[in-house]
């Protein structure tokens, strides 16, 4: 095969959920915290095209450097203070129908919690795994808060999912955006990737800032594409995960050395927790389809037991779930052309993630209105944006 043809094939596979790893991966197993963190930007507000927007909040300079307890010297973490929309004391039913209860906040808007951000690095069997945490610092309720992990898609940076993290943090969640080893030219091991995501929970539990405010026994697992599959695997491996909502997950095994490293996750279902799947059908066919029909989100839903949710977003493509497709580059260039704007898909998906965890991690049935009920019908179904299935 000519070099140019091989290059094309490799990057086409990048859209097809076949994860590869960055760093050095060994056998899966335990993790310890090491290394240093670096300060990063923070987001509040609804702009899906940037990871540095502060349109609905105010930011202050970096204020804290913390030393972690999990290894000699520990991970250092730099926090950036970010103030979300201050709606403390506001009637929580404002802007909603009469269906939601008193503790329900519109998931399509920023919530009433203020939050900050810190970064760190953990060692998982020799692989250096970066973590960016977003955590509440003030709001209508004190912690500990439910925790949500975010797993990026193959060859995609975690920064493409910043808006999900900040929206969740503003609604009272500790969010761990994990830079697992899912990049090109590395070892392919989806099981190791899942354990890298789970290692972030141990890191948070022992962290001097996050430990007291993180309920690591009440966890949601969200990821996109390869990260979606990894999130489902993580839910299977760890009982701390109580619910999972994934974004166009792909159950692929491209370039995998064996099925032990890259098992068929959908075939391992059902598991006894709520599972939700947002997806699209534009990229289910064609040469090296980005989300093949035999491996896409519908295959997960078909094997899931109740309660399970499937939301098909009409006009989205596989990469529409990113914060900013325009900055994605060659990794996004092989998927079908979407007919629905990136910003519309991103806003819809953010709202579903918040509503889903409000329902299942916070145990608030009032969020059903935003998932399948009156608000979902009015905002999405009646507008022709989505088709909803549930069981």
């Amino acid at each position: 095969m000519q070099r140019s043809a091989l290059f094309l094939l490799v990057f086409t596979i990048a859209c097809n959920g076949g994860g590869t790893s960055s760093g050095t991966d060994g056998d899966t197993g335990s993790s310890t915290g090491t290394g240093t963190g670096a300060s990063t930007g923070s987001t509040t507000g609804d702009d899906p095209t940037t990871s540095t927007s502060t349109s609905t909040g105010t930011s202050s300079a970096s204020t804290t450097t913390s030393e972690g307890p999990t290894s000699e010297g520990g991970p250092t973490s730099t926090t950036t203070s970010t103030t979300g929309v201050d709606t403390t004391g506001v009637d929580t039913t404002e802007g909603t129908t009469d269906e939601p209860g008193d503790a329900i906040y519109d998931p399509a808007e920023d919530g009433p919690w203020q939050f900050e951000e810190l970064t760190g690095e953990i060692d998982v069997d020799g692989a250096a795994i970066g973590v960016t945490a977003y955590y509440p610092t003030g709001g209508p309720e004190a912690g500990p808060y439910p925790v949500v992990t975010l797993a990026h898609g193959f060859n995609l940076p975690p920064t493409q999912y910043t808006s999900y993290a900040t929206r969740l943090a503003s609604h009272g969640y500790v969010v761990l955006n994990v830079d697992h080893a899912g990049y090109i030219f590395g070892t392919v091991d989806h099981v190791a990737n899942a354990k890298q995501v789970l290692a972030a929970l141990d890191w948070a539990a022992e962290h001097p800032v996050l430990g007291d405010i993180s309920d690591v026994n009440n966890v949601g697992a969200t990821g996109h594409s390869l990260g979606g599959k990894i999130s489902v695997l993580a839910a299977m491996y760890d009982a701390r995960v109580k619910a999972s909502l994934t974004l166009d997950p792909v159950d692929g095994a491209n370039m995998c050395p064996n099925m032990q490293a890259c098992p068929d996750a959908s075939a391992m279902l059902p598991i006894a927790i709520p599972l939700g799947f947002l997806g699209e059908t534009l990229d289910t066919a064609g040469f090296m389809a980005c989300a093949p029909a035999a491996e896409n989100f519908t295959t997960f839903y078909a094997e899931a037991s109740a309660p399970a949710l499937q939301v098909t977003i009409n006009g989205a493509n596989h990469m529409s779930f990113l914060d900013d497709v325009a900055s994605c580059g060659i990794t996004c260039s092989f998927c079908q052309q979407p007919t629905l704007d990136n910003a519309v898909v991103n806003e819809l998906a953010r709202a579903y993630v918040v509503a889903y965890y409000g329902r299942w991690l916070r145990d608030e049935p009032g969020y059903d209105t935003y998932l399948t009920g009156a608000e979902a019908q009015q905002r999405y179904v009646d507008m022709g944006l989505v088709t909803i299935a549930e069981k």
Side-chain angles (χ1 to χ4, degrees):
M1 180 181 295
Q2 293 182 350
R3 181 181 299 271
S4 60
L6 178 59
F7 181 86
L8 176 61
L9 177 61
V10 167
F11 276 99
T12 303
I13 289 172
C15 297
N16 197 17
T20 59
S21 303
S22 63
T24 303
D25 288 341
D27 295 334
T28 58
S30 62
S31 64
T32 58
T34 62
T36 59
S39 62
T40 61
S42 174
T43 299
T44 59
D46 296 329
D47 184 358
T49 62
T50 177
S51 61
T52 58
S53 169
T54 56
S55 59
T56 61
T58 59
S59 298
S60 63
S62 299
T63 56
T64 306
T65 300
S66 304
E67 187 170 303
T70 57
S71 68
E72 185 176 357
T76 58
S77 302
T78 304
T79 63
T80 301
S81 176
T82 303
T83 304
V85 179
D86 185 4
T87 57
T88 304
V90 175
D91 182 359
T92 59
T93 60
E94 183 179 352
T96 72
T97 66
D98 292 334
E99 185 177 343
D102 290 339
I104 307 304
Y105 302 91
D106 189 337
E109 303 291 340
D110 283 339
W113 275 267
Q114 296 79 52
F115 60 89
E116 293 182 358
E117 171 188 354
L118 62 83
T119 63
E121 187 175 271
I122 54 180
D123 180 275
V124 186
D125 296 319
I129 305 300
V131 184
T132 303
Y134 303 80
Y135 60 99
T137 57
E141 299 172 12
Y145 302 102
V147 177
V148 177
T149 60
L150 288 180
H152 61 81
F154 172 69
N155 214 44
L156 292 164
T159 52
Q160 280 284 12
Y161 308 92
T162 299
S163 71
Y164 295 92
T166 56
R167 176 63 59 80
L168 281 162
S170 78
H171 280 262
Y173 297 86
V174 173
V175 186
L176 306 175
N177 196 0
V178 183
D179 194 6
H180 63 83
Y183 295 92
I184 207 162
F185 303 132
T187 303
V188 181
D189 192 333
H190 298 169
V191 172
N193 294 154
K195 292 188 176 183
Q196 290 158 5
V197 170
L198 292 169
L201 298 177
D202 302 324
W203 171 79
E206 298 177 355
H207 194 280
V209 175
L210 303 176
D212 290 340
I213 63 171
S214 300
D215 185 355
V216 296
N217 292 308
N218 187 26
V219 176
T222 287
H224 170 236
S225 189
L226 169 64
K229 174 182 179 176
I230 289 169
S231 297
V232 173
L233 288 174
M236 295 175 181
Y237 299 152
D238 199 318
R240 292 177 294 181
V241 180
K242 301 299 194 262
S244 176
L245 179 72
T246 53
L247 311 173
D248 215 24
V250 179
D251 202 6
N254 290 315
M255 301 181 290
C256 275
N258 53 63
M259 292 303 293
Q260 285 70 43
C262 305
D264 186 342
S266 60
M268 299 165 66
L269 296 175
I271 54 177
I273 64 170
L275 296 177
F277 309 97
L278 273 64
E280 50 75 36
T281 56
L282 281 182
D283 278 314
T284 57
F287 177 72
M288 296 300 295
C290 290
E295 301 170 349
N296 77 343
F297 73 111
T298 64
T299 66
F300 288 91
Y301 178 74
E303 300 299 330
S305 58
L309 175 68
Q310 176 180 278
V311 180
T312 304
I313 303 180
N314 304 316
N317 79 350
H318 184 57
M319 297 299 182
S320 294
F321 299 89
L322 304 181
D323 282 0
D324 182 18
V325 171
S327 66
C328 177
I330 194 169
T331 304
C332 290
S333 65
F334 298 100
C335 299
Q336 299 295 322
Q337 187 68 26
T339 59
L340 193 60
D341 287 346
N342 178 207
V344 174
V345 179
N346 193 256
E347 174 58 34
L348 186 158
R350 284 200 303 262
Y352 259 93
V353 170
V354 171
Y356 198 79
Y357 291 129
R359 175 63 181 90
W360 296 113
L361 296 186
R362 291 187 170 275
D363 195 26
E364 291 287 353
Y367 279 104
D368 283 339
T369 191
Y370 297 107
L371 297 171
T372 59
E375 289 291 339
Q377 294 292 319
Q378 179 180 351
R379 295 180 180 189
Y380 310 128
V381 177
D382 293 347
M383 301 296 292
L385 294 175
V386 307
T387 303
I388 299 173
E390 62 177 324
K391 56 184 174 181

